[in-house]
Amino acid sequence: MRKTFQILIYIIGLLCIIGSASAQQNVPFDKSHFPEDAEKLKEAQKNINIAVGLIEIEQNYKEAIRYFKKAERFNTNNSELHFNLGFCYYMLSPSDTESALIHWKKSIDIQPVFTPKVYFNIGRVYHLKQEWNEAISYYQNFLKEVDEKTHVQEVILTNKYLEECQSGKKLAAQPTNSLISNLGNLFNTKYPDYGPVVHPNGLTMYYCSRRKNRDYFEIADDNLYYEDIFISKRYSEEDDWKRGKLADDNLNSKGHESVVSISNSGKTLLVHKGSKQGDLYFSKIEGKRKKTITSPVKLPAPINSEYAETSACFSPDGRFIYFSSDRPDGKGGKDLYVSERKNGQWSTPTNLSALNTPYDEEGPYLTADGKQLFFSSKGHNSIGGFDLFVSENLNGEWQTPENLGVPINTPYDEVYISAPNGFSQFYFSSDRPEGYGYLDIYSAAIIGTRRQPQLISVETLLTDTKTYFEQQDPIGQLKPYTLDLTIVKGTVVDAATGKPLNAQVQISNNEKQEVTGKFATNRAGKVVIVVPKGKNYGAEIKSDGYLFYSENFTAANSDTSVVFKLQPLKKGSKIVLKNMFFKPGSYELSELSKIELENIAKFLRENPKLQIEISGHTDNTGSVNQNEKLSHQRARSVVEFLKNMQIPASRMKYFGYAAEQPIADNTTEEGRKMNRRTELKIIN
């Protein structure tokens, strides 16, 4: 991304400064304007020529600025001079654009129509700064002034950038609730570091670096060191990553190598090799205690071709491979393809047309359940460069990709995502300017909902909240939108055996009666929920073959842990409906019960053969007759509501038990509170 911008400005920027101009304010470096300063004019012209040579031959922008500044001291009112000073300042430090903007704007002040391309440059800087309205204004000015017939490609590019800015405005107005962190100098260097691939167990990360190292230090055609594979480990998901080590010679060579994916079993790596077009390979991870990685073996045609195949991933069952290629039968640039393995052979790849655009699509990553495909694209509603997207698979069809939003995406490149357990923590590469240099590796965590509730898998956060917020930030990393958060670490298990369960967890804000997030456990049955402190939430936990679980909690001031014990879906299993609320002393349902009731109705629709009993319970205060009546009426109110939601009355019974079945001590207020409850029991 940054490189593209530099080349574009370079082509635009090197203009003849010494020639004449027609605008009244502009003062060219010629004798007609300085008839009495011939020697000083000659010296200024000499400084300009030296500066231009430094740019063209050496790309020495710092020295070029010094010579341009000497000329500026002689004549500060030359539009072309300020244009080129702006160019040099930008090239010297693309992350520090203020000096470039000062000179480009001064160029316009002196001579508004000196070159339309100065409007493009200023628009581009504001675009990268995510100042959308300013960027749009300058891009539009460029289009007004430029000759469309002679600058066709620049007009096409500017219209694309305008679309990106409009997308940026929309996404920035509804930012993604997220924490983003640069992984620091244990991973990142002044060289490109990218392509994180995390093992499904969360304890090993493979990544690529083009740094100089002791074994391989040859320079590639792009004047950077060749790609090498590094491996970082940690002892548990709660620990920090260790400094990465260079992979052995089985994976690395004198050429380009990068791990692009790992199978769901954790036993097969997909590797990209090759200096020019590049092909896809696979390596096996063998051994139990001491792991060894076999030398990469090239995947056969039709996966590899005479064109570039740059990234790939397997489906969870290994039957399908999704990959990126620039073969000519696509929509344009690199496209995503899928191929199925049948009888030991890979089928002719199918273009994933719903996901592809005329621009590049790269870095496919399929979640462990096969229902979400992450990838990067320069098309769709990208806000600039590669953006990260996700598509849901519904009924076998990939849906319109959704941009992961701001601040995860920027007008720079965000690419090569690794999300072994979804949105709670994932890793990606970005060349945003606050990094160490070129592409860096970042981690991100989405808090609660993104913009609308989405199903997200949760493993564990990189660190706890305190570490996220208190860690030092030497490079100005992005900060979370909300700091006052609580982490609830849950484990979902079978109530009888204690076996971890794969489960979905829905979190609702009870006060607002809105779903704030949907999560999924990892293979160990663990789930991490991050919510703002002090608010009351409802949690519904579901797992196939089990009665759903209802929990109510107020987010505390400190992190908490809880075990959710699910009952098998069989006769006699029952749960307390902890988010069923009534108006005080009444059987009238509170508005705060709406989501709980909707969840029950959905559960019954998903299990059409079940019959249930809704029971009301009270504490032992008050008269027995009054408690029996109230508990009976409350149970009936729940059933009546469910009948109105098209649940057949024949599937439901209700009964009021008053204080006959306490589950806690009625001598304490806390115990009496627990006894005042509504239960759901499977009766058939």
Side-chain angles (χ1 to χ4, degrees):
M1 180 69 178
R2 193 179 306 170
K3 183 177 178 181
T4 301
F5 183 32
Q6 291 177 355
I7 293 172
L8 183 59
I9 293 180
Y10 185 77
I11 293 170
I12 294 171
L14 291 181
L15 304 175
C16 177
I17 295 177
I18 302 173
S20 63
S22 59
Q24 186 176 358
Q25 299 98 324
N26 187 53
V27 180
F29 287 85
D30 60 32
K31 292 180 180 179
S32 65
H33 288 83
F34 301 97
E36 298 179 359
D37 291 312
E39 288 300 319
K40 290 183 179 179
L41 173 62
K42 185 176 180 180
E43 183 67 20
Q45 292 172 334
K46 177 182 176 182
N47 288 328
I48 290 169
N49 288 330
I50 292 172
V52 171
L54 287 166
I55 295 170
E56 289 182 328
I57 299 171
E58 301 180 23
Q59 291 79 53
N60 189 336
Y61 306 108
K62 185 176 182 179
E63 277 297 293
I65 289 171
R66 189 166 71 88
Y67 282 98
F68 277 141
K69 281 292 187 181
K70 288 181 179 182
E72 183 191 18
R73 287 195 288 271
F74 174 72
N75 175 15
T76 190
N77 293 317
N78 184 273
S79 183
E80 294 137 305
L81 177 68
H82 287 289
F83 183 93
N84 284 279
L85 271 168
F87 163 71
C88 289
Y89 274 114
Y90 177 80
M91 296 297 289
L92 184 64
S93 180
S95 61
D96 179 14
T97 56
E98 293 308 313
S99 295
L101 286 175
I102 288 171
H103 285 284
W104 281 334
K105 287 183 177 181
K106 193 167 184 178
S107 176
I108 292 174
D109 290 340
I110 294 171
Q111 190 177 8
V113 292
F114 151 63
T115 172
K117 297 173 184 179
V118 69
Y119 293 104
F120 177 93
N121 287 1
I122 296 174
R124 192 72 179 118
V125 168
Y126 280 123
H127 186 167
L128 296 176
K129 289 162 67 73
Q130 302 183 55
E131 296 182 24
W132 308 113
N133 289 329
E134 290 289 324
I136 290 169
S137 176
Y138 279 99
Y139 283 148
Q140 289 173 339
N141 283 335
F142 169 73
L143 292 176
K144 289 177 184 177
E145 300 292 342
V146 75
D147 184 344
E148 295 184 10
K149 294 181 180 179
T150 58
H151 297 82
V152 175
Q153 293 303 315
E154 289 168 4
V155 169
I156 293 172
L157 182 64
T158 304
N159 282 317
K160 173 70 165 68
Y161 286 162
L162 277 169
E163 292 177 3
E164 292 173 355
C165 289
Q166 296 292 354
S167 297
K169 278 185 67 176
K170 292 179 182 178
L171 292 171
Q174 203 174 12
T176 300
N177 302 314
S178 58
L179 299 165
I180 302 172
S181 177
N182 186 296
L183 288 191
N185 60 14
L186 290 180
F187 286 82
N188 298 314
T189 65
K190 64 181 180 180
Y191 302 102
D193 305 281
Y194 52 95
V197 174
V198 180
H199 192 284
N201 66 16
L203 304 183
T204 301
M205 182 192 294
Y206 304 88
Y207 64 98
C208 178
S209 181
R210 300 192 65 178
R211 69 189 69 175
K212 183 178 181 180
N213 65 74
R214 68 182 184 276
D215 295 327
Y216 308 107
F217 44 81
E218 293 186 15
I219 302 294
D221 292 341
D222 57 3
N223 292 320
L224 290 168
Y225 296 105
Y226 283 96
E227 291 180 328
D228 286 317
I229 297 167
F230 285 74
I231 304 174
S232 174
K233 294 182 178 291
R234 58 183 177 182
Y235 297 113
S236 74
E237 295 174 348
E238 306 297 327
D239 292 326
D240 293 335
W241 292 103
K242 304 299 181 183
R243 185 180 298 277
K245 295 182 178 180
L246 186 68
D248 62 30
D249 291 345
N250 278 4
L251 283 180
N252 286 320
S253 71
K254 293 182 179 181
H256 287 296
E257 292 88 18
S258 61
V259 172
V260 296
S261 185
I262 188 169
S263 65
N264 198 44
S265 66
K267 295 180 179 180
T268 304
L269 294 175
L270 284 173
V271 177
H272 175 261
K273 290 172 63 72
S275 296
K276 293 184 178 180
Q277 299 294 354
D279 287 314
L280 295 170
Y281 293 68
F282 71 91
S283 292
K284 292 291 185 179
I285 302 175
E286 299 176 341
K288 293 185 177 180
R289 293 186 177 180
K290 187 176 181 180
K291 303 291 185 182
T292 59
I293 302 176
T294 63
S295 297
V297 176
K298 188 175 180 178
L299 286 167
I303 305 303
N304 285 312
S305 69
E306 61 183 298
Y307 302 96
E309 285 72 43
T310 53
S311 55
C313 68
F314 287 121
S315 62
D317 59 7
R319 284 178 53 211
F320 297 88
I321 185 170
Y322 295 78
F323 65 96
S324 176
S325 175
D326 66 352
R327 55 191 65 188
D329 59 349
K331 286 189 173 183
K334 295 176 184 175
D335 275 10
L336 298 180
Y337 292 82
V338 62
S339 174
E340 183 179 6
R341 189 174 177 85
K342 294 181 178 179
N343 301 319
Q345 301 293 321
W346 290 105
S347 66
T348 300
T350 301
N351 186 288
L352 296 175
S353 58
L355 307 182
N356 293 319
T357 69
Y359 307 97
D360 287 333
E361 278 70 45
E362 181 67 278
Y365 181 94
L366 197 64
T367 54
D369 59 8
K371 295 180 180 179
Q372 293 177 314
L373 183 65
F374 291 89
F375 63 98
S376 292
S377 175
K378 292 182 177 179
H380 300 292
N381 61 330
S382 166
I383 66 174
F386 278 113
D387 276 8
L388 294 170
F389 290 84
V390 63
S391 174
E392 307 282 339
N393 192 308
L394 298 178
N395 301 317
E397 299 291 334
W398 291 109
Q399 305 303 298
T400 301
E402 181 185 359
N403 190 303
L404 294 194
V406 175
I408 292 170
N409 286 317
T410 71
Y412 294 88
D413 283 335
E414 281 72 41
V415 69
Y416 305 127
I417 189 171
S418 182
N421 288 283
F423 288 118
S424 78
Q425 186 200 357
F426 53 93
Y427 301 88
F428 65 96
S429 310
S430 175
D431 65 347
R432 57 190 68 191
E434 62 265 23
Y436 286 79
Y438 294 94
L439 286 163
D440 275 6
I441 300 172
Y442 289 79
S443 70
I446 289 181
I447 308 302
T449 181
R450 305 210 312 266
R451 289 174 298 278
Q452 299 174 358
Q454 299 286 337
L455 177 64
I456 58 180
S457 280
V458 177
E459 169 197 12
T460 180
L461 294 177
L462 175 65
T463 56
D464 62 23
T465 307
K466 182 177 180 182
T467 304
Y468 256 123
F469 302 152
E470 293 184 353
Q471 65 184 355
Q472 295 299 312
D473 180 20
I475 58 169
Q477 67 188 41
L478 296 176
K479 296 298 192 296
Y481 280 87
T482 303
L483 299 183
D484 201 13
L485 303 170
T486 292
I487 295 177
V488 180
K489 298 180 180 180
T491 304
V492 183
V493 300
D494 182 299
T497 67
K499 177 185 176 182
L501 300 177
N502 292 320
Q504 290 75 46
V505 181
Q506 174 181 289
I507 302 298
S508 306
N509 183 310
N510 279 332
E511 181 181 352
K512 295 182 178 180
Q513 279 297 284
E514 64 181 20
V515 176
T516 60
K518 293 185 178 182
F519 305 83
T521 60
N522 66 4
R523 295 176 180 177
K526 294 181 179 180
V527 64
V528 174
I529 302 160
V530 187
V531 291
K533 292 178 182 176
K535 300 184 182 299
N536 185 260
Y537 295 92
E540 182 208 30
I541 300 95
K542 296 197 305 181
S543 182
D544 292 342
Y546 289 84
L547 179 59
F548 76 91
Y549 186 96
S550 173
E551 185 59 86
N552 177 272
F553 67 95
T554 297
N557 289 326
S558 59
D559 298 349
T560 57
S561 298
V562 62
V563 177
F564 303 113
K565 298 180 179 181
L566 272 58
Q567 303 286 337
L569 204 60
K570 64 180 183 179
K571 184 177 181 179
S573 293
K574 63 181 179 180
I575 57 164
V576 177
L577 300 171
K578 295 184 180 179
N579 295 287
M580 191 68 67
F581 305 105
F582 299 87
K583 294 184 178 180
S586 169
Y587 58 87
E588 184 178 351
L589 285 162
S590 167
E591 286 293 324
L592 301 181
S593 301
K594 181 181 177 182
I595 290 181
E596 183 88 303
L597 290 161
E598 290 174 346
N599 288 338
I600 297 171
K602 183 178 180 182
F603 170 75
L604 291 172
R605 293 190 194 103
E606 291 172 348
N607 298 275
K609 295 182 180 180
L610 287 183
Q611 292 182 334
I612 63 168
E613 177 189 85
I614 300 294
S615 59
H617 303 263
T618 68
D619 59 27
N620 64 354
T621 60
S623 70
V624 173
N625 289 337
Q626 187 179 27
N627 285 340
E628 287 180 348
K629 181 179 180 181
L630 181 62
S631 62
H632 183 83
Q633 289 174 324
R634 285 184 169 180
R636 184 175 64 183
S637 293
V638 174
V639 169
E640 290 299 323
F641 189 97
L642 294 172
K643 286 166 61 178
N644 289 333
M645 297 187 75
Q646 309 306 312
I647 303 301
S650 60
R651 297 180 59 195
M652 300 180 289
K653 295 182 179 181
Y654 59 89
F655 196 84
Y657 289 94
E660 294 178 11
Q661 298 179 359
I663 58 174
D665 188 351
N666 267 316
T667 63
T668 67
E669 178 54 37
E670 184 64 27
R672 289 190 293 272
K673 182 179 179 180
M674 293 176 65
N675 289 329
R676 298 190 295 269
R677 69 195 190 278
T678 305
E679 289 185 347
L680 180 152
K681 182 170 70 173
I682 298 174
I683 57 175
N684 191 13

